[in-house]
Amino acid sequence: MNLHPRRLLLPLLLAAVLPLGAHAADASESEISREISAELAEARKEVRSELAAARAELETGNLELGDGLHFGKSGKRAHADASLPRAEITPRGDFLVDGKAVAIDARQRQALLAYRRQVLDIALAGIDIGERSAQMAIDAVDRGIFSLMLSAMTGSLERNLEKTIKASIEPGIIQICQGLPALHASQQLLAQSLPQFRPYATLEADDVKDCETDVRREFALN
């Protein structure tokens, strides 16, 4: 799963901090602190609300195959051929190709539901990691607003946050990698059972094998 905390979080922090900090000459430090803390409290609520909505959408919406998973070397994306019609698994276990239900039996429906659950669990784990990273960044700003403003200008904020967040999220990403063999096995069994699913079985054995090694290498080098 290809995560870039620096690109996602630093703009959020600077957007919350720097406009308010520009009024430092006209207001007391305590007043600015209160204003910034209020902005950060609102940011926390927005993060929780938006990610709660994302979780609900995953659970209740159709799962589009070949979409949204990043595995393997350099975070390459496993996806179906763009020329293939859209394929989805519904919450009931129906298999849709180009919006039309493919005839399946009870065993195939069970396999589709199991595969859907595994993919959703990975996606939900990724959302959890993203939420934890965002809240950590917001908390870091809230604990030391003015020193962090100076750090942001010198570049040390970016480096320190990236280091802290990476240390926090690495175990979760490794755990996702460790769940890939089971996902790959389910995908292969489903492809054998349901020929129409086969073109959308895009997760490769090398993606599974390389995931944990690549994550550890990236975190060690950055």
Side-chain angles (χ1 to χ4, degrees):
M1 185 164 291
N2 192 14
L3 298 175
H4 297 281
R6 175 175 55 192
R7 296 176 189 173
L8 293 174
L9 300 175
L10 189 59
L12 170 66
L13 302 181
L14 297 183
V17 173
L18 294 183
L20 291 170
H23 300 292
D26 302 318
S28 68
E29 182 172 316
S30 61
E31 181 181 347
I32 295 172
S33 296
R34 285 194 298 272
E35 291 182 31
I36 295 176
S37 292
E39 291 285 341
L40 294 175
E42 184 63 27
R44 289 189 185 92
K45 289 173 58 179
E46 289 180 4
V47 167
R48 286 193 295 267
S49 176
E50 290 179 8
L51 294 184
R55 292 183 182 97
E57 184 177 353
L58 280 173
E59 294 286 1
T60 60
N62 292 351
L63 172 67
E64 184 173 354
L65 299 181
D67 202 28
L69 296 178
H70 299 250
F71 303 122
K73 294 180 179 178
S74 302
K76 69 182 180 181
R77 185 178 186 177
H79 58 85
D81 189 327
S83 66
L84 289 171
R86 179 183 179 124
E88 303 166 279
I89 303 174
T90 73
R92 294 182 62 255
D94 294 314
F95 182 50
L96 309 181
V97 177
D98 203 16
K100 300 176 181 178
V102 174
I104 56 173
D105 59 28
R107 182 172 56 87
Q108 290 167 329
R109 184 182 300 277
Q110 184 178 11
L112 285 162
L113 284 171
Y115 178 74
R116 172 188 163 92
R117 183 70 260 164
Q118 287 175 299
V119 174
L120 291 189
D121 285 345
I122 288 175
L124 290 169
I127 290 175
D128 289 344
I129 290 171
E131 181 171 17
R132 186 163 63 250
S133 300
Q135 297 293 357
M136 284 179 61
I138 294 169
D139 289 345
V141 173
D142 210 5
R143 282 194 300 268
I145 293 169
F146 290 97
S147 62
L148 286 171
M149 286 174 61
L150 179 60
S151 296
M153 296 173 188
T154 63
S156 62
L157 169 61
E158 181 178 355
R159 292 190 298 272
N160 291 338
L161 275 179
E162 184 172 8
K163 181 178 179 181
T164 300
I165 290 171
K166 280 190 171 185
S168 173
I169 68 176
E170 181 179 7
I173 299 177
I174 293 296
Q175 188 172 3
I176 289 174
C177 289
Q178 292 170 347
L180 294 186
L183 179 64
H184 182 258
S186 293
Q187 184 186 80
Q188 296 306 110
L189 288 173
L190 189 52
Q192 294 172 14
S193 168
L194 187 60
Q196 296 93 329
F197 176 86
R198 200 168 298 149
Y200 304 93
T202 55
L203 181 61
E204 300 176 359
D206 284 346
D207 296 329
V208 174
K209 179 173 63 70
D210 294 335
C211 180
E212 188 170 343
T213 300
D214 290 346
V215 168
R216 294 189 185 280
R217 181 183 299 118
E218 180 173 343
F219 276 66
L221 291 177
N222 292 283

